[in-house]
Amino acid sequence: MFTGIVEEVGVVAALQARGDSAVLAVRADRIAEDLAHGASIAVNGVCLTVVGWEVGDSTEIEFDVMGETLKRSVIGALAGGDRVNLERAVRADARLDGHVVQGHVDGTGVLLSRTPGDQWETVRFGLPVDLARFVAEKGSIAVDGVSLTVSGVGADWFEVGLIPETLRATTLGGKAAGNPVNLEVDVLAKYVARLLETTRS
């Protein structure tokens, strides 16, 4: 489980295809401090398992990426030099500063527009229609693994406000219109929807 509070922005070293899967290598420093084989790390909001690492100027961490992940997220489009949001799994004795994020991407969206404010930016993302029912104003959503509060929502879009710290400390500050992003809707909304579906049938 994660919180959507990005700990570090890493850099992709390589993404190597292996049949219908791939191996992703990411350079990082802070999240490499307590690496363990089999540990979970969210990479742009996708929960991946550490399968190895190599220590150098920066630690290069390797993750196996299965075909399902490549299909459902934008991980497969990463290339060497791309920046990625990184977060280690939350500790049981830590504060939950964001919201409950599983690292299970529900779909992908695209950045539609950015509107600068005095101290923040309003950013609009395209939203797959089948996910729209899970997104509510003032509710939570994870965009590339960043926990955000929805400030507006339409049939196929939602908006968030990005404060200076989010613009600085995550990859969202450098995204442009047309860039794809991973989306994870609030898990509680998904469970409520499922309960309602099964109650009706």
Side-chain angles (χ1 to χ4, degrees):
M1 188 181 86
F2 306 93
T3 67
I5 304 299
V6 172
E7 295 183 86
E8 179 179 2
V9 174
V11 177
V12 173
L15 180 70
Q16 297 180 323
R18 301 240 173 122
D20 66 348
S21 63
V23 174
L24 174 66
V26 176
R27 293 189 192 97
D29 295 310
R30 183 173 179 189
I31 66 157
E33 292 170 359
D34 59 353
L35 279 177
H37 195 275
S40 294
I41 294 176
V43 180
N44 273 0
V46 179
C47 179
L48 297 177
T49 301
V50 175
V51 295
W53 63 89
E54 191 174 311
V55 179
D57 291 338
S58 286
T59 302
E60 192 169 296
I61 309 165
E62 289 193 342
F63 307 91
D64 282 334
V65 186
M66 62 182 182
E68 181 72 4
T69 303
L70 295 172
K71 205 169 28 172
R72 285 185 174 261
S73 74
V74 297
I75 290 287
L78 292 173
D82 286 348
R83 299 167 73 240
V84 288
N85 296 319
L86 301 172
E87 181 191 356
R88 291 172 286 191
V90 68
R91 291 168 39 132
D93 63 346
R95 289 186 176 90
L96 186 62
D97 289 324
H99 73 280
V100 175
V101 177
Q102 295 180 300
H104 303 162
V105 170
D106 294 301
T108 61
V110 64
L111 195 153
L112 298 176
S113 64
R114 308 184 73 112
T115 306
D118 290 338
Q119 298 294 324
W120 65 87
E121 282 190 31
T122 299
V123 183
R124 180 175 288 197
F125 293 95
L127 176 68
V129 175
D130 62 327
L131 293 182
R133 66 190 178 126
F134 301 114
V135 181
E137 190 172 341
K138 307 304 179 192
S140 298
I141 192 165
V143 178
D144 272 355
V146 182
S147 174
L148 298 169
T149 301
V150 177
S151 58
V153 64
D156 60 355
W157 59 268
F158 68 93
E159 287 182 340
V160 295
L162 301 183
I163 62 173
E165 178 64 11
T166 304
L167 295 168
R168 182 198 65 79
T170 76
T171 61
L172 297 183
K175 296 276 183 189
N179 286 164
V181 292
N182 293 318
L183 301 175
E184 181 183 336
V185 297
D186 189 355
V187 66
L188 298 178
K190 287 189 284 187
Y191 277 118
V192 169
R194 180 64 179 147
L195 284 168
L196 290 172
E197 286 169 7
T198 54
T199 307
R200 290 188 195 115
S201 48

